[in-house]
Amino acid sequence: MTIFYRIRALVRWLFRRDEIERALDSDLADYIERSAAEKVRAGMTETEARRAARIELGGVEQTKDRVRETLSLGFVETFIADAGYALRTLRRQTTFTVVAVSTLALGLGVNVALFSLFQQLLQRPLPVMEPNRLVNLTDPGPKLVGQASTSSSASGGPDSVFSYPTFRDLERAQQPFVGLAAHRSFEANVVSGQNARLTTGILVSGNYFSVLGLRPALGRLLGPQDDRVDGVPILERSDRVPYVRLPYGGPRVRIRLPPAVSQVRTCLSREFAFLGREATVFRGVQAGTSGAVGRDTQGAATSG
Amino acid sequence: MTRQPKGPLEGKLNIPQGTLELLILTIVRREPLHGYGIAQRLKSLTQGTFEINPGSLFPALYAMERDGKLRCEERLSDNNRQARYYTLTASGRTQLEREERRWERVTAAIASVLQGA
């Protein structure tokens, strides 16, 4: 009850000072009026009575000041007293305090954790050029038996997985988009010297990086020229990193590399060459992976 | 009522510390009253022993209103002006009852000491 009144009064004091001032004016004027009337009845003249009443009041402004002072000081004092009382009560009732504080802490912690996850996964724009113009295609239509993709891999459910030929057809026929790029996640062991580790890679189409507008920080990224299906793998040398430009339409692979980047790794029993690294730490359009760009040096299965 | 010179006078006492709220609450319990009325009632009930000046009365009234013990009603008074009448709230009534009991114990305790001494 008191708490409710305190809060209401605080709000009133903070936001309705005018109202308090008007009340004060009305109260003091009324006091003078009545006091003067009393004095007139006792035999004073009107002016004398008014003057005496004002004097009795101890000065209108001084009285107002004392009221204002009481109201504003009172707040600080009551607040300090209330806070002290609350703290003492909390200290006395240890069990309640522990339960209440841990409940609050747990609740807040869970909320913060969930929100950060939500923000990471859904709210933060992808670190690509114009992420707001990026769309994900799905094909929710009916699937023919035998043709339907039943895969619900890391790349997504059946509706969001397109076959490689379908992707190429779509890419050729599409009008509304600046570009259409394909990607598919896979898991593989990456071997570097004696060490193997399970990691995630993404098979991508040649225009993946140009569609997303990513630039290499080191070496080069896969480009449309890597989509060709002729010739032999060419090993070229840049000043720092050897990279392979493969002239056929094999899978384009993005591999998350261990910290010490070595140039050639084995993946799915095939050799990959390190091509380059993106300028920003880009984790793919699906949350999860990051890192470097590589290619199968021997040619391999096409992506689905 | 004429203004009396300052200083302790025969028949007039300072209101004991901490009892002003109790006195005000008791006075407005009978009927809603304006500031001047409260001061006058206090004076007449104590036959002039307690007299409160407006510089102490109004800060107390406003603080009590802020704390929710008093509430104000705008009323048209006998001289045909709007005046603010102070009245008890539920919380003020509870406080008054508590203070009354406390005061009875204080006076009883003091009385028994005085009689026993």
Side-chain angles (χ1 to χ4, degrees), chain B residues 16-81:
Chain B
Q17 191 90 46
T19 58
L20 180 58
E21 286 204 2
L22 171 64
L23 298 174
I24 292 174
L25 288 170
T26 314
I27 288 168
V28 298
R29 171 164 58 180
R30 272 219 349 230
E31 54 175 332
L33 216 52
H34 42 78
Y36 183 74
I38 294 171
Q40 288 305 104
R41 184 68 51 82
L42 181 64
K43 194 178 165 191
S44 65
L45 283 174
T46 62
Q47 279 99 45
T49 309
F50 289 161
E51 204 175 305
I52 187 168
N53 76 39
S56 310
L57 174 66
F58 283 108
L61 286 178
Y62 276 77
M64 288 165 78
E65 190 192 357
R66 175 199 63 195
D67 296 341
K69 296 164 192 165
L70 294 181
R71 178 160 51 79
C72 253
E73 287 168 8
E74 294 268 337
R75 278 196 197 176
L76 214 56
S77 67
D78 34 309
N79 57 359
N80 218 25
R81 345 175 345 128

Side-chain angles (χ1 to χ4, degrees), chain A residues 1-2 5-6 8-10 12 19-20 22-31 33-36 38-39 42 44 52 55-58 63 66-67 70-75 78, chain B residues 1-3 34-37 39-40 52-72 74 77-79 81-86 89-91:
Chain A
M1 200 65 172
T2 357
Y5 275 115
R6 288 260 163 80
R8 203 192 62 170
L10 178 70
R12 205 176 141 196
E19 199 175 300
I20 293 177
R22 272 201 306 277
L24 208 44
D25 281 336
S26 141
D27 261 343
L28 297 187
D30 186 60
Y31 188 95
E33 192 82 14
R34 287 173 197 280
S35 175
E38 185 75 38
K39 293 180 202 323
M44 279 194 187
I55 291 168
E56 185 188 295
L57 195 63
T63 305
R66 288 192 62 176
V67 171
T70 310
L71 287 183
S72 54
L73 272 185
F75 263 112
T78 15
Chain B
M1 191 176 81
T2 50
R3 178 154 175 91
H34 42 78
Y36 183 74
Q40 288 305 104
I52 187 168
N53 76 39
S56 310
L57 174 66
F58 283 108
L61 286 178
Y62 276 77
M64 288 165 78
E65 190 192 357
R66 175 199 63 195
D67 296 341
K69 296 164 192 165
L70 294 181
R71 178 160 51 79
C72 253
E74 294 268 337
S77 67
D78 34 309
N79 57 359
R81 345 175 345 128
Q82 285 286 98
R84 284 161 46 88
Y85 281 72
Y86 291 87
T89 63
S91 138

Side-chain angles (χ1 to χ4, degrees), chain A residues 13 46 65 81 142 170 174 192 198 277 286 303:
Chain A
W13 173 246
E46 181 79 29
D65 270 345
L170 281 173
Q174 69 93 5
S192 171
L198 185 65
R277 199 203 283 268
Q286 282 175 313
S303 59

